Amino acid sequence: MDWLQQNWILLVLGAAVALVALWWLIGSSASRSPEATTRDGVEQEISPVITGPATAPIDVPPPVDAVPPTAEPEILPEPEALVQPIHAIAAGPPDELTRMKGVGPKVAALLNGLGVTRYDQIASWSDDDIARIDAQLGAFKGRITRDQWVEQARLLAASDRAGYEAKFGKLG
């Protein structure tokens, strides 16, 4: 009896929670009845067909057979053709372009795809060449001038290691 006097509030709260849960379960199952629903006091059947406001028609392309035979198909360039080579492939073995500051493996691969494989090619770039190549570098745009690739390439093409290290730091 002593326990009941101390915990009567918990018992009342538990009973109230149980009644609310029971009321919620009974109420929610009645509103989900698949047989019928009431609207303004009138019982209506639930239709399996979704009805609602009309929507705008969707433009559906014509079937492939409906294309006139005189229409020429659009020819897409090959992925390799999307990158325009800037230089003809240089004679001799390619230089290790990643030795230049600001040229990592990804940039070196981009440059190789543009036909740039040697320091002497980069050393001979004009302002127009720099602008044309820079436009094709994507996320690396601006590095040519910021990292002074032309000056680095001139020193590396001339094998001037001391001059390069004096201006750009130690070679790797």
Side-chain angles (χ1 to χ4, degrees), residues 101-168:
K101 308 291 183 196
V103 179
K106 289 183 181 182
V107 174
L110 279 171
L111 291 173
N112 289 336
L114 296 171
V116 180
T117 59
R118 300 183 49 84
Y119 298 132
D120 56 350
Q121 290 174 305
I122 298 172
S124 68
W125 284 351
S126 67
D127 289 339
D128 290 337
D129 292 332
I130 291 171
R132 196 169 63 246
I133 293 167
D134 197 41
Q136 295 189 38
L137 291 181
F140 304 105
K141 187 175 182 176
R143 288 227 178 145
I144 297 172
T145 54
R146 183 175 59 237
D147 294 330
Q148 301 174 5
W149 288 359
V150 175
E151 181 63 27
Q152 289 186 63
R154 282 186 188 133
L155 294 169
L156 290 171
S159 299
D160 186 1
R161 184 180 184 116
Y164 181 91
E165 289 181 347
K167 186 163 186 173
F168 297 104

Side-chain angles (χ1 to χ4, degrees), residues 51-64:
T51 59
T55 59
I58 299 172
D59 288 335
V60 178
V64 176

Side-chain angles (χ1 to χ4, degrees), residues 24 27-36 46:
W24 180 75
S28 66
S29 66
S31 66
R32 285 195 230 156
S33 173
E35 299 90 29
I46 296 178

